[in-house]
Amino acid sequence: MEHYWTAAGRNIDREIRDVSGIVSDYPLGEPLDDISVLTSDAVDAAKSAADHIPTLPVLGLVAVVPYLCWRSTDAALNARVREALITVAADLGGLPCPHGDGEHPGDSGASPDFLLNAMEELAVTDEDEVDLDEDERERWNCPKNLAALADDGRWELERMLAEDGEVARAGEGVYSPELKDIPDVFFGHVNGRHTILITKNERERPIYPKWLIRPLFRVVRRQAPWERPEDDYRGLLLWTARELRARPDGPTAAGLVLALSDAYTYAMSDDVPERAVRDELVEAFSEAHRVRRDATCAHAGEHPALDPEETLVAAAKLWVPDYTDEEVEARPVSAETVEAVGCPAHLRDIALRAATELRRDVAGRFGPSAGADLDARFLDEDGTLRADRVARDVRFHNAGPDPETSPAVWCARRVLAGVADPRERAALVLAVAHAAGHPHWYADLPGAVDVLAEALTAVTAADPGECGHTDGHTAGDVASYGAPVIGQLIPVLFDSLRYQPPPTNPERRPFVRPNIYRDEEGNGATAGGAPCTSPPSRASRSRR
């Protein structure tokens, strides 16, 4: 029996590519139009299941549900998809199942990536390339399995779009979807592929130059990327930045700094309208600078001046000294040159320059303009604090060109002025603490560090009295945000005697956000609040 799309004269590979683009939040066409067509296909395929295999459009429709929930504001389309899933579940659920009480692939729900992989496997017709055996294919195609998955999709859609659901809650907080200009689901889609190619998923996370250097040559040459989502330069720069940020002093870090030392300028171009790539690069370069701030130079400050492509060759040689390919052979770089450009002091200067340029680019493109009225933005007419706006602006470091247009400084000054409402005060203090945790974003604002430190010092100096929270607090040790600790992490101010760290200063990183891509936690493909989450098993659904 033919697949529904084959019988309809459609190109199965193209249909699956369209679903793949939507699942990875990298649509190849008009995604909501594609979902509308997919909805009709799934219903029609279920009704004609006696004549054609309905599996592919049904799996595709279930797979795109998270994208629909996060990206569609079309209530009519959302309702139509829900009704389609109900219809598909009813039509297929009434057909006989030859497996009795046996297991089906969808019994415990399935993530969009899992469903997409199944679609690709089920579409293969060449016996030499088939990975699924005949029994597995039959169980995927079983009407009972497809009905259960359609019902899973309906449940997930209702859960996410409920009045108190995930999407509604996110719209009021710092993870509002419109602020995720390159959503975690896109990064999740490409992250696993880059990790497999570049590090081969090895525990010690080595860098295999071929799979990182080759695409970076295309970046620095400004050659157009290939059309696959995993070849998008934004995903590559995000992966590399997060790898550097996670291990700024690790064995691969020196090469990563060099590899990004020219490629980062692509993120400042109009080809990258999103700010997420810039943000991650700022964090990565700032961390790379921080761990080398006391580095000494054995070269009297003289380091080889390499062009961007020679610098990439040097990065490859830092990872694998005897590495070679046609690009490396065309640009010979000696071992002595590699050692000199890998000097920690040289890398520190590269990181500071890059972080500063990227930060200024972000401020110029996305920050408040000079003279912006922050009172009007953050206070309602009755003077009530708009905590949601404060959280968003401070979370994304939307600093303007001066302290008066910096939301974090605005919050600090309100804390110093005194706030009676405890909820408002808590929101302001947490906002200031968050800003202090990322001080490199405020290095260009004269006096900002003084205001942040003064506000948090006042908070820690006040005696709050006893509390009944025996399990601790989520805000962390706010006392660690004093002036010395803030100042030592701001490169521009580090040399000031006022901000020298105290003599007894153990190595601490109170300001670095937890890295969700640590080795012991896997590759993080769906971490960080990405919408592509597997639905819970039916046995665990108490709200169904």
Side-chain angles (χ1 to χ4, degrees), residues 68-96:
L68 179 81
C69 293
W70 286 101
R71 295 283 175 255
S72 172
T73 57
D74 185 344
L77 176 61
N78 299 348
R80 182 166 161 249
V81 170
R82 177 181 175 275
E83 290 302 318
L85 291 167
I86 293 173
T87 300
V88 168
D91 288 346
L92 295 177
L95 298 179

Side-chain angles (χ1 to χ4, degrees), residues 263-490:
Y264 80 87
T265 59
Y266 174 79
M268 297 166 56
S269 71
D270 291 337
D271 292 333
V272 183
E274 305 88 355
R275 63 169 288 171
V277 181
R278 298 170 174 85
D279 287 355
E280 291 291 348
L281 286 166
V282 168
E283 298 286 350
F285 279 122
S286 297
E287 275 294 279
H289 176 276
R290 182 186 68 80
V291 300
R292 294 171 179 80
R293 62 185 177 225
D294 296 323
T296 58
C297 178
H299 310 91
E302 298 292 331
H303 303 98
L306 303 182
D307 66 32
E309 296 184 12
E310 291 171 332
T311 302
L312 289 175
V313 172
K317 295 286 188 179
L318 281 173
W319 296 319
V320 181
D322 60 351
Y323 175 76
T324 187
D325 62 20
E326 61 273 17
E327 297 282 13
V328 172
E329 291 175 0
R331 299 162 189 80
V333 177
S334 68
E336 293 76 14
T337 298
V338 171
E339 186 274 333
V341 296
C343 167
H346 183 49
L347 297 176
R348 175 193 63 202
D349 296 342
I350 290 174
L352 178 58
R353 180 199 73 216
T356 301
E357 290 184 4
L358 284 159
R359 187 178 61 246
R360 290 173 178 170
D361 183 67
V362 169
R365 289 175 181 265
F366 306 103
S369 59
D373 185 354
L374 298 189
D375 283 353
R377 173 162 178 75
F378 296 138
L379 298 176
D380 283 335
E381 292 183 0
D382 62 358
T384 302
L385 180 72
R386 286 296 305 271
D388 57 332
R389 289 182 178 175
V390 168
R392 293 174 190 176
D393 280 10
V394 176
R395 162 70 177 82
F396 289 91
H397 311 294
N398 288 329
D402 51 60
E404 283 63 39
T405 53
S406 166
V409 173
W410 183 91
C411 292
R413 287 173 174 166
R414 283 188 70 83
V415 169
L416 290 169
V419 181
D421 184 271
R423 291 175 61 86
E424 178 177 333
R425 185 172 185 273
L428 293 170
V429 170
L430 290 175
V432 177
H434 177 80
H438 302 81
H440 36 275
W441 286 97
Y442 303 92
D444 286 342
L445 299 180
V449 65
D450 297 307
V451 180
L452 297 177
E454 185 181 357
L456 291 175
T457 300
V459 171
T460 57
D463 180 10
E466 297 295 327
C467 79
H469 305 131
T470 57
D471 294 331
H473 302 90
T474 58
D477 181 11
V478 182
S480 67
Y481 297 117
V485 183
I486 295 174
Q488 68 169 299
L489 296 183
I490 298 184

Side-chain angles (χ1 to χ4, degrees), residues 15 97 121 126 151 157 176 185 215 221 242 246 263 265 353 405 438 514 518-519:
E15 299 295 340
C97 166
E121 295 290 346
D126 188 334
D151 197 42
L157 186 147
S176 181
V185 63
R221 292 168 181 163
R242 292 190 178 185
T265 59
R353 180 199 73 216
T405 53
H438 302 81
R518 293 194 300 269
D519 291 342

Side-chain angles (χ1 to χ4, degrees), residues 60 127 141 155 163 178 208 210 233-234 247 255 279 316 327 372 396 400 425 427 430 433 440 452 457 464 491 522 530:
E127 293 184 359
N141 293 331
W155 180 88
E163 290 186 3
E178 68 265 22
Y208 288 85
K210 173 181 178 180
Y233 296 153
R234 299 173 302 171
R247 302 164 185 81
D279 287 355
E327 297 282 13
F396 289 91
R425 185 172 185 273
L430 290 175
H440 36 275
L452 297 177
T457 300

